[in-house]
Amino acid sequence: MNTIISCSVLKTLKTYMAGRNKTVISEFFLLGLPIEPEQQNLFYALFLAMYLTTVLGNLLIIVLIRLDSHLHTPMYLFLSNLSFSDLCFSSVTMPKLLQNMQSQDSSIPYAGCLTQMYFFLFFGDLESFLLVAMAYDRYVAICLPLHYTTIMSPKLCLSLVVLSWVLTTLHAMLHTLLMARLYFCANSVIPHFFCDMSALLKLSCSDTRVNELVIIFMGGLILVIPFLLIIMSYARIVSSILKVPSARGIRKAFSTCGSHLSVVSLFYGTVIGLYLCPSANNSTVKETVMAVMYTVVTPMLNPFIYSLRNRDMKGALGRVFCKKIFS
């Protein structure tokens, strides 16, 4: 599916690029992270370790959910999609970042830059929608346990996943096409470690007002509303738990909800701060650090927060390993 989308994006970009005689720039140069040369190897090892942890952690979750029939439930359907989204979201930027840290050539072709932007938006948006679906699933499971199987039917769960993929495809395509219509005539250095949408807009010599309006309007739909829905779901969960006081249950609930909300706040807080509430006082270094938090740190933390800590995943890991050993 991703191959088909990639081919479609490239064909569309080529169509837009054809006949653009005013376009001088054929490639961009990524400035990368603001790191001193003597610290380059240290940070390279750190980011490589974080990326490998992200890949292995999310792959483990996907494989366990696929192999263990006990995990074929709505919650783990959403989790497997979230793990795939995190894996791809991190892979959109991290390999290029690691390559540039060890190479003198930090260039990226024009079409490659817009393609990276497309998939960055695609998997970032997909994560946003999946987090909402997971919050709703937990709300129904805890607040409406007797109706859980009726409400969270396989048809509804599949519909939510498919809808998430369709909406993210359309949203990412919209921003990519709007970016492809702009001209870049002078500066080709992107002060970032990937083709960030806001950084590209600052380099354009075209009128970017339409792009900025779409970012604000669509950002409200894709980011702010999902974030508020997640907060509301967890607020209802906490309220429901407090009505049936149990010291152990309350501790467990607050531990789970607290860890979930911390990662959700980290993801949404940095993204909303960067794209919807940009400050004139934000330095390039500050924006880069904020971008690292949601592109590198959050995909690495999600497997530990949502899956690898819980009893079902530990049980599935034990069953799969025992099955392999005895077979």
Side-chain angles (χ1 to χ4, degrees):
M1 181 177 181
N2 287 332
T3 305
I4 296 173
I5 294 173
S6 179
C7 293
S8 174
V9 172
L10 287 173
K11 287 179 181 177
T12 307
L13 292 180
K14 287 178 181 178
T15 302
Y16 264 82
M17 291 169 65
R20 295 180 69 203
N21 297 325
K22 294 182 182 179
T23 303
V24 176
I25 292 175
S26 61
E27 63 180 7
F28 293 100
F29 294 90
L30 297 170
L31 199 58
L33 298 172
I35 300 172
E36 297 295 331
E38 58 270 17
Q39 297 177 328
Q40 196 85 354
N41 290 333
L42 175 63
F43 277 92
Y44 176 82
L46 175 63
F47 282 111
L48 178 61
M50 294 174 74
Y51 179 58
L52 291 177
T53 302
T54 301
V55 172
L56 295 176
N58 285 294
L59 275 179
L60 178 61
I61 291 169
I62 294 170
V63 170
L64 285 178
I65 294 174
R66 178 71 181 85
L67 294 179
D68 196 309
S69 59
H70 294 85
L71 300 181
H72 294 173
T73 62
M75 182 177 75
Y76 291 105
L77 170 66
F78 298 136
L79 269 176
S80 62
N81 278 270
L82 180 68
S83 294
F84 178 75
S85 174
D86 280 333
L87 175 62
C88 296
F89 186 51
S90 184
S91 297
V92 169
T93 57
M94 285 300 289
K96 183 63 178 173
L97 169 63
L98 293 170
Q99 177 193 338
N100 290 348
M101 291 177 76
Q102 293 293 303
S103 170
Q104 299 299 320
D105 181 18
S106 61
S107 64
I108 182 171
Y110 177 84
C113 188
L114 291 192
T115 302
Q116 184 188 56
M117 191 191 84
Y118 170 84
F119 283 108
F120 177 82
L121 290 170
F122 178 87
F123 290 112
D125 293 345
L126 183 60
E127 177 157 347
S128 178
F129 284 119
L130 290 173
L131 287 173
V132 175
M134 290 168 61
Y136 178 68
D137 174 78
R138 291 299 84 203
Y139 161 73
V140 175
I142 294 174
C143 300
L144 304 168
L146 299 179
H147 303 284
Y148 180 78
T149 53
T150 304
I151 296 174
M152 299 305 293
S153 63
K155 183 178 179 181
L156 175 64
C157 295
L158 186 60
S159 299
L160 289 174
V161 171
V162 171
L163 181 63
S164 298
W165 281 78
V166 172
L167 291 177
T168 52
T169 300
L170 296 175
H171 180 248
M173 182 65 76
L174 172 64
H175 283 295
T176 306
L177 294 179
L178 287 174
M179 187 66 69
R181 58 183 269 279
L182 302 180
Y183 299 120
F184 299 88
C185 308
N187 188 11
S188 62
V189 178
I190 301 174
H192 221 302
F193 63 92
F194 68 96
C195 292
D196 180 60
M197 185 165 53
S198 59
L200 284 171
L201 289 178
K202 292 175 184 176
L203 294 181
S204 175
C205 53
S206 301
D207 186 354
T208 61
R209 283 177 295 182
V210 173
N211 297 67
E212 291 164 358
L213 287 173
V214 172
I215 288 174
I216 294 172
F217 177 74
M218 295 303 296
L221 297 178
I222 300 294
L223 294 173
V224 177
I225 293 177
F227 180 59
L228 292 177
L229 290 174
I230 291 172
I231 297 298
M232 288 171 56
S233 296
Y234 280 108
R236 294 292 298 273
I237 289 171
V238 171
S239 174
S240 177
I241 292 170
L242 292 177
K243 290 178 182 177
V244 185
S246 164
R248 184 181 177 184
I250 290 174
R251 280 198 305 270
K252 184 178 179 181
F254 276 106
S255 172
T256 302
C257 292
S259 59
H260 287 196
L261 285 175
S262 63
V263 176
V264 166
S265 300
L266 178 65
F267 176 76
Y268 282 101
T270 51
V271 174
I272 291 173
L274 274 175
Y275 296 105
L276 298 187
C277 307
S279 171
N281 298 324
N282 279 0
S283 65
T284 302
V285 175
K286 184 179 178 182
E287 290 181 352
T288 303
V289 171
M290 291 174 71
V292 167
M293 296 304 291
Y294 72 85
T295 58
V296 181
V297 177
T298 303
M300 182 186 68
L301 290 179
N302 277 345
F304 299 99
I305 298 298
Y306 285 102
S307 302
L308 298 179
R309 293 195 319 159
N310 74 43
R311 189 169 51 189
D312 292 338
M313 290 299 293
K314 291 177 181 177
L317 186 62
R319 286 190 295 270
V320 169
F321 271 103
C322 289
K323 186 177 180 181
K324 293 294 180 183
I325 292 171
F326 287 111
S327 62

